[in-house]
Amino acid sequence: MHTSARKNCLALIATLLFTCLAASGQGRTIYSDTADAHKDIAQALAQARREHKRVILDFGGNWCGDCQVLDIYLHQQPNLDLLNRYFVLVHINVGRFDRNTDIAEKYQVPLKKGVPALAILSATGRLLYSQKNGEFEAMRRMDPASVTQFLQQWKPTKS
């Protein structure tokens, strides 16, 4: 299958998945209603320091079809290998944009631009990247390769 045909097929599958998730009002539970995001970030940073990784903060909600698609793409190969090797992932539940907004502000993630929204932290907690323009808020129109490119761009470099 040609690359363009494969991309079109993957985009169609993502769109269908998004439509089904949105229509059913259901999806997998990615963002915990009971998690303490501050504690989760502290634990992720400690793990990242031990393992020489970076931390990805994933802001979203279980109601969000694009968040569901991003999570699926993150857990497909080669993205899963990149994620496991170079990153610690923290899912941060934004509720209906009324939860953990202080964390979004701290890491300069403008939730009004949409979710999913990502931030990348160094192992010491320094902000390396935050989405300013809702880059992933339309995951249903993107393909897994866009996630691969993002992970490749932000993985730590060997010193």
Side-chain angles (χ1 to χ4, degrees):
M1 184 180 292
H2 292 305
T3 303
S4 62
R6 181 171 183 218
K7 280 186 175 184
N8 289 339
C9 184
L10 289 171
L12 177 61
I13 290 168
T15 300
L16 290 171
L17 174 64
F18 174 80
T19 303
C20 290
L21 289 170
S24 70
Q26 298 180 26
R28 294 170 303 124
T29 300
I30 300 167
Y31 306 91
S32 171
D33 286 331
T34 59
D36 179 341
H38 293 278
K39 183 178 174 184
D40 291 347
I41 293 169
Q43 290 173 340
L45 287 169
Q47 179 182 347
R49 282 190 296 275
R50 282 191 312 273
E51 299 175 7
H52 309 287
K53 295 181 176 184
R54 291 189 170 163
V55 174
I56 297 178
L57 303 180
D58 169 21
F59 294 86
N62 294 316
W63 51 266
C64 168
D66 289 300
C67 299
Q68 297 282 333
V69 172
L70 173 61
D71 193 65
I72 290 167
Y73 286 176
L74 282 171
H75 291 90
Q76 290 178 347
Q77 295 299 345
N79 298 333
L80 182 59
D81 285 341
L82 286 166
L83 188 65
N84 290 334
R85 184 170 181 190
Y86 297 109
F87 300 95
V88 179
L89 178 62
V90 180
H91 297 290
I92 300 173
N93 190 347
V94 300
R96 295 288 179 171
F97 299 102
D98 59 354
R99 296 182 64 186
N100 296 310
T101 57
D102 60 320
I103 298 171
E105 278 183 38
K106 177 179 180 178
Y107 294 110
Q108 302 171 21
V109 175
L111 294 177
K112 67 180 186 281
K113 296 283 186 175
V115 291
L118 303 177
I120 305 289
L121 308 179
S122 71
T124 61
R126 183 171 53 92
L127 179 64
L128 301 174
Y129 168 83
S130 66
Q131 288 184 230
K132 302 291 188 209
N133 298 306
E135 288 88 335
F136 286 124
E137 64 91 22
M139 280 307 302
R140 65 191 171 276
R141 289 189 224 113
M142 299 171 78
D143 63 31
S146 59
V147 176
T148 306
Q149 181 182 12
F150 178 82
L151 295 173
Q152 288 284 5
Q153 179 181 354
W154 291 105
K155 71 182 183 182
T157 55
K158 302 275 186 211
S159 49

